[in-house]
Amino acid sequence: MSPSANNGTAARTGRVERVTSESSVLVELDLDGRGRTEIDTGVPFYDHMLTALGKHSLIDLTVRAQGDVHVDAHHTVEDVAISLGQALRQALGDKAGIARFGDALVPLDEALAQAVVDVSGRPYLVHSGEPAGQEYHLIGGHFTGSLTRHVFESIAHHANICLHVRVLGGRDPHHIVEAQFKALARALRAAIERDPRVEGIPSTKGAL
């Protein structure tokens, strides 16, 4: 039983299945979880990043994907990110009672990344600061550095959130990506948190 069921509030869960000629994806999540994850995308480094995302956001996250990774990891990575964004949007519901905004600054050894989230209902991504050449690095044999931005872009667009991610420092390509995913996780954790002082939708417009 989820914590949300225990405290008498509606469960905030999402489930999305996406099947194309390039991949088959299942994403299940619970915003009021404990950071438990079961991740298998066929792209090991991506598994590592999504595990960190679930762990540090406290979102229980299950991802199972099969795709044409023999061609390229791009299709599978993209379709998982799309599904994750859709599941997040589904789980947020009408967004009543949430904090809405979240901001996190996360180091990983020499790397430092900041993520800022607004659960705004308006999809937008600003992504900056990666060192020159980061997009060309092949991390873990499958994950190209350019996919980092594409993942964030796909999540933001399909979750209907505004997301700013900045790399403030870093040298190791692995650390640079991981710091960004962990920063996103911590910012999301703050933004989706229920705030007992918030009445209804946290917007002067009355809708998000």
Side-chain angles (χ1 to χ4, degrees), residues 105-130:
L105 193 63
V106 172
L108 178 56
D109 296 346
E110 88 295 345
L112 181 64
Q114 181 183 33
V116 183
V117 169
D118 177 8
V119 184
S120 62
R122 298 183 305 278
Y124 207 92
L125 173 71
V126 177
H127 182 250
S128 62
E130 287 188 338

Side-chain angles (χ1 to χ4, degrees), residues 121-152:
R122 298 183 305 278
Y124 207 92
L125 173 71
V126 177
H127 182 250
S128 62
E130 287 188 338
Q134 171 72 14
E135 66 269 31
Y136 303 119
H137 282 285
L138 188 62
I139 306 169
H142 295 84
F143 191 94
T144 307
S146 61
L147 288 172
T148 305
R149 175 188 171 88
H150 193 45
V151 168
F152 296 155

Side-chain angles (χ1 to χ4, degrees), residues 15-27 64-67 75 79-80 82-83 86:
R15 186 181 192 276
V16 171
E17 289 187 81
R18 177 181 171 87
V19 179
T20 73
S21 61
E22 298 168 342
S23 70
S24 175
V25 177
L26 170 66
V27 171
R64 299 190 185 95
Q66 291 183 319
H75 297 147
D79 288 346
V80 166
I82 289 171
S83 301
Q86 291 172 341

Side-chain angles (χ1 to χ4, degrees), residues 33-177:
R34 293 287 183 266
R36 294 179 288 260
T37 59
E38 294 181 24
I39 313 293
D40 183 8
T41 67
V43 182
F45 182 73
Y46 197 30
D47 291 353
H48 180 39
M49 294 301 98
L50 294 177
T51 299
L53 181 65
K55 178 70 173 179
H56 296 288
S57 65
L58 296 182
I59 295 173
D60 287 348
L61 179 61
T62 297
V63 179
R64 299 190 185 95
Q66 291 183 319
D68 55 358
V69 294
H70 61 285
V71 175
D72 192 289
H74 183 102
H75 297 147
T76 301
V77 169
E78 177 182 54
D79 288 346
V80 166
I82 289 171
S83 301
L84 180 55
Q86 291 172 341
L88 180 58
R89 181 178 178 181
Q90 184 184 116
L92 282 165
D94 65 4
K95 310 178 186 82
I98 65 168
R100 176 177 169 176
F101 300 99
D103 181 4
L105 193 63
V106 172
L108 178 56
D109 296 346
E110 88 295 345
L112 181 64
Q114 181 183 33
V116 183
V117 169
D118 177 8
V119 184
S120 62
R122 298 183 305 278
Y124 207 92
L125 173 71
V126 177
H127 182 250
S128 62
E130 287 188 338
Q134 171 72 14
E135 66 269 31
Y136 303 119
H137 282 285
L138 188 62
I139 306 169
H142 295 84
F143 191 94
T144 307
S146 61
L147 288 172
T148 305
R149 175 188 171 88
H150 193 45
V151 168
F152 296 155
E153 188 173 48
S154 298
I155 292 173
H157 181 81
H158 290 276
N160 270 4
I161 64 175
C162 175
L163 172 61
H164 287 243
V165 180
R166 293 194 300 161
V167 177
L168 302 175
R171 181 185 64 255
D172 182 275
H174 182 136
H175 291 172
I176 290 167
V177 178

Side-chain angles (χ1 to χ4, degrees), residues 95-102 119 189-195 198 202:
K95 310 178 186 82
I98 65 168
R100 176 177 169 176
F101 300 99
V119 184
R189 175 178 168 180
I192 66 177
E193 192 76 17
R194 285 191 171 104
D195 186 335
V198 175

